[in-house]
Amino acid sequence: MQPPQDQHPADYSGYMPPTPEGDRWVQRPLPNQPYQQINGQGMPGQVPPPAPVYQPPEQTPPAYAYTPQAEAPENAQQTYQTPTQPYGAPQNGFQGPAYAPPATGMPRARKKSSKGIYIALILLAVGLAVFFIVPRLLQQRRNAAYGYVRSGSMSARYTGDAVIVRSEKVYTQDGVSRKDFVAEEGERVQRGSIVATIYKAGLSTKEWDTLQRYRDQIKAYHKVLISSASSDTQMLAKMTNVRTKAMEVQQLVHGAQGNISRQEILLAKAMQDQQIYIKQKYPDDQKLSRLYDDENVQLQKISTWTKQFAAATEGLVSFYTDGYENALNMLTYTDFSPAQVRSMYNGQIPITDETVSRKTEDIYRMVQLEPWAVLMLCNETDWTPVDGRSYKLLIESFDNIEVDATVESYTRSGGELLVRLLVNNTAALQNVLYTRTCQVQLGESVNTLLVPSRAIFVQNGRKGVVLATEGGEYWTGVEVVSDDGTNAYVIPDNAGVLFDGVPLRLF
């Protein structure tokens, strides 16, 4: 194909060879030719004339006017600067108005109302509340009208001051010059056993001095006979036993641990065994026989002024008294008020109607092996004991002992709570034989059932609960051990009816 021919000389200075990517020929406009429109387009390669510049009216652009920025060259690194003026403020001095789309003449579409959605959501929430919440409230209301039995145990401890009461009697005698105790202190004796021998006041001291002189002569002659029997091994053994018992008594007197009364009894028995052996070893000794005869004659003379006391009943014998025995015993202990018991605890002996002579002396007291009592002034005055309830009673004395005690009765007056306790353990009397006042602790630990306090219902004067069973509602009696207003510890009258998990009616 030949290049087009025209009347102008050809200028190939701008000629570019064809490339694989571009057109083979490039048409250029004729030089010095005006811009022409051909089918609405100019000649390819010819620059169109500049368009008239639009001059908008002067006005202050808004703060949010957009300012065009010159495009960065390709592959140029982008940088960020800290803004020094509010977002949307005019930049680079551009003062033109913000761009706004032209009006189309079509009416703006109205937003659809959401009231229907809100109403539907509210109705849905109400429906859910009716379906889920209301049945639950009804169930809670039904549950509030009923409770359940729970298993449990209750323990408590109460402390206080106490006065010990025993079934005891004191035997007295007027005009006593001397007393010889035959029974041992605290010994359990049978009825008819000789307890003591007393000597009347008419017996002169001269008779006693004569008897003592004969006994001193016998003792001195025994020493002579013992020294002459150095080869008698049996005699030496009895002498050694007497000396050993005497040394043990001396050690107890100086503070050694042991029972000095018991040790004195052992010493007396060792000396008696030695005297009997000497009397049997020398039956033909005339001097020794004469001394024994003088002693017996003097004892017979004195015996006309003596009186023996035999035990009227079986029991524990004691030669120590405190003055409370006649007024405070098992026949009278329920008659005392809390104030009177407090006075006795402080050491004031009750006054009785019996007239006692100044010459009257207490010989011994006999404590019968019968139930005994404790008058307890409880420190927990707000406690309400249960008559007939058994507790563990700890008596704090020289030897602490624990026994079972039963509440006989109680009295609350003058800010004091007096609890009368009965103890059936007669074996423990030996431990409280010399105790009158002491500190005590009363412990309670019982297996009970726990029910709501509102479940307690009184019927015909008796406390009980109403069982809510499938077959109906039934009342059963209970004993309320403790009630704090919310829960009550109870013991059922019929354990086979009331047990853990049984529903109860609340009132």
Side-chain angles (χ1 to χ4, degrees):
M1 179 176 179
Q2 297 295 326
Q5 302 293 326
D6 55 18
Q7 56 187 359
H8 298 287
D11 184 3
Y12 297 102
S13 60
Y15 172 75
M16 296 181 63
T19 61
E21 297 82 3
D23 299 332
R24 184 175 180 88
W25 303 103
V26 178
Q27 186 175 9
R28 298 177 59 88
L30 297 177
N32 300 325
Q33 293 294 324
Y35 178 79
Q36 295 181 358
Q37 294 262 350
I38 302 176
N39 294 329
Q41 297 181 357
M43 181 68 69
Q46 192 173 13
V47 178
V53 179
Y54 170 74
Q55 296 292 336
E58 294 184 2
Q59 57 182 358
T60 303
Y64 54 83
Y66 169 75
T67 303
Q69 301 290 334
E71 292 185 2
E74 188 177 358
N75 300 326
Q77 184 177 3
Q78 185 176 7
T79 59
Y80 299 90
Q81 296 182 357
T82 303
T84 57
Q85 54 186 348
Y87 175 78
Q91 301 178 3
N92 300 329
F94 178 75
Q95 302 296 331
Y99 172 78
T104 59
M106 299 295 292
R108 179 178 297 179
R110 296 182 180 180
K111 295 182 178 180
K112 294 183 180 180
S113 176
S114 59
K115 292 182 178 180
I117 299 177
Y118 292 150
I119 294 175
L121 292 176
I122 292 174
L123 294 176
L124 179 60
V126 171
L128 292 176
V130 172
F131 186 76
F132 292 103
I133 300 177
V134 172
R136 184 174 299 177
L137 294 176
L138 294 176
Q139 182 64 30
Q140 292 178 356
R141 184 176 180 181
R142 287 193 296 268
N143 292 340
Y146 294 91
Y148 294 91
V149 179
R150 291 178 290 169
S151 60
S153 62
M154 188 183 69
S155 61
R157 184 166 293 273
Y158 310 98
T159 61
D161 305 325
V163 177
I164 304 298
V165 183
R166 294 171 290 262
S167 179
E168 54 191 352
K169 183 179 179 180
V170 177
Y171 294 87
T172 62
Q173 179 65 44
D174 293 338
V176 178
S177 63
R178 180 172 175 175
K179 295 179 287 187
D180 286 343
F181 303 130
V182 179
E184 297 182 9
E185 173 64 29
E187 180 184 357
R188 180 174 178 176
V189 297
Q190 303 295 325
R191 181 181 178 180
S193 301
I194 301 299
V195 176
T197 301
I198 61 99
Y199 300 88
K200 299 178 183 179
L203 182 63
S204 65
T205 58
K206 181 181 177 180
E207 303 297 338
W208 287 110
D209 295 340
T210 302
L211 178 63
Q212 188 62 39
R213 185 174 65 251
Y214 291 152
R215 287 178 173 176
D216 291 341
Q217 292 176 3
I218 293 174
K219 185 183 298 184
Y221 192 64
H222 279 173
K223 291 181 179 179
V224 174
L225 295 177
I226 291 173
S227 61
S228 63
S230 58
S231 60
D232 190 344
T233 57
Q234 191 172 357
M235 177 69 76
L236 294 176
K238 292 185 179 298
M239 290 176 55
T240 302
N241 187 31
V242 171
R243 292 173 182 174
T244 302
K245 295 295 186 291
M247 291 179 61
E248 291 176 353
V249 172
Q250 186 178 8
Q251 292 174 356
L252 293 175
V253 172
H254 289 84
Q257 298 293 328
N259 190 334
I260 188 171
S261 299
R262 178 64 178 171
Q263 198 63 36
E264 288 177 347
I265 295 173
L266 295 177
L267 174 60
K269 186 177 185 303
M271 295 174 65
Q272 185 178 8
D273 290 343
Q274 182 180 355
Q275 292 174 4
I276 294 174
Y277 180 78
I278 294 174
K279 189 175 182 179
Q280 293 175 351
K281 182 176 177 63
Y282 303 99
D284 298 332
D285 192 303
Q286 298 296 324
K287 184 177 180 180
L288 182 61
S289 299
R290 181 176 54 83
L291 290 174
Y292 283 147
D293 292 339
D294 293 340
E295 180 187 20
N296 291 331
V297 171
Q298 189 62 25
L299 286 174
Q300 291 177 3
K301 185 183 297 186
I302 293 175
S303 64
T304 59
W305 298 88
T306 63
K307 178 181 178 180
Q308 289 185 337
F309 282 83
T313 59
E314 180 185 2
L316 302 176
V317 64
S318 175
F319 303 105
Y320 297 95
T321 60
D322 58 7
Y324 287 85
E325 294 86 0
N326 293 330
L328 182 63
N329 49 60
M330 294 301 295
L331 299 177
T332 62
Y333 81 101
T334 58
D335 301 333
F336 294 99
S337 66
Q340 291 173 321
V341 175
R342 177 61 68 183
S343 298
M344 286 188 287
Y345 179 81
N346 293 331
Q348 184 176 350
I349 299 176
I351 300 175
T352 62
D353 298 334
E354 297 182 6
T355 302
V356 180
S357 174
R358 293 182 178 180
K359 297 181 180 180
T360 302
E361 292 187 21
D362 296 338
I363 306 303
Y364 70 98
R365 64 185 171 108
M366 181 63 67
V367 181
Q368 298 181 12
L369 301 176
E370 296 179 357
W372 46 286
V374 176
L375 299 178
M376 176 183 177
L377 295 168
C378 187
N379 295 330
E380 292 77 16
T381 56
D382 57 346
W383 173 47
T384 301
V386 180
D387 292 348
R389 174 73 62 197
S390 296
Y391 300 89
K392 291 292 184 180
L393 178 65
L394 175 65
I395 300 177
E396 300 177 0
S397 58
F398 183 76
D399 293 324
N400 292 345
I401 61 171
E402 185 177 88
V403 294
D404 293 329
T406 305
V407 176
E408 281 284 287
S409 61
Y410 69 93
T411 302
R412 197 190 312 271
S413 67
E416 295 270 20
L417 173 61
L418 173 62
V419 183
R420 302 176 184 90
L421 302 167
L422 183 65
V423 181
N424 292 314
N425 187 353
T426 58
L429 276 171
Q430 188 71 49
N431 302 93
V432 295
L433 189 60
Y434 310 104
T435 304
R436 181 63 69 183
T437 59
C438 59
Q439 299 285 324
V440 297
Q441 295 184 21
L442 199 62
E444 178 185 31
S445 180
V446 294
N447 294 326
T448 62
L449 294 176
L450 186 64
V451 302
S453 299
R454 292 173 53 196
I456 304 299
F457 182 78
V458 179
Q459 179 173 288
N460 297 328
R462 295 182 56 196
K463 293 182 178 180
V465 294
V466 177
L467 284 67
T469 65
E470 296 181 357
E473 296 182 347
Y474 303 94
W475 182 91
T476 182
V478 298
E479 177 185 350
V480 179
V481 178
S482 175
D483 190 347
D484 59 5
T486 302
N487 294 308
Y489 288 93
V490 300
I491 298 178
D493 294 345
N494 189 349
V497 175
L498 201 62
F499 49 87
D500 189 11
V502 173
L504 302 175
R505 177 74 178 275
L506 301 183
F507 301 93

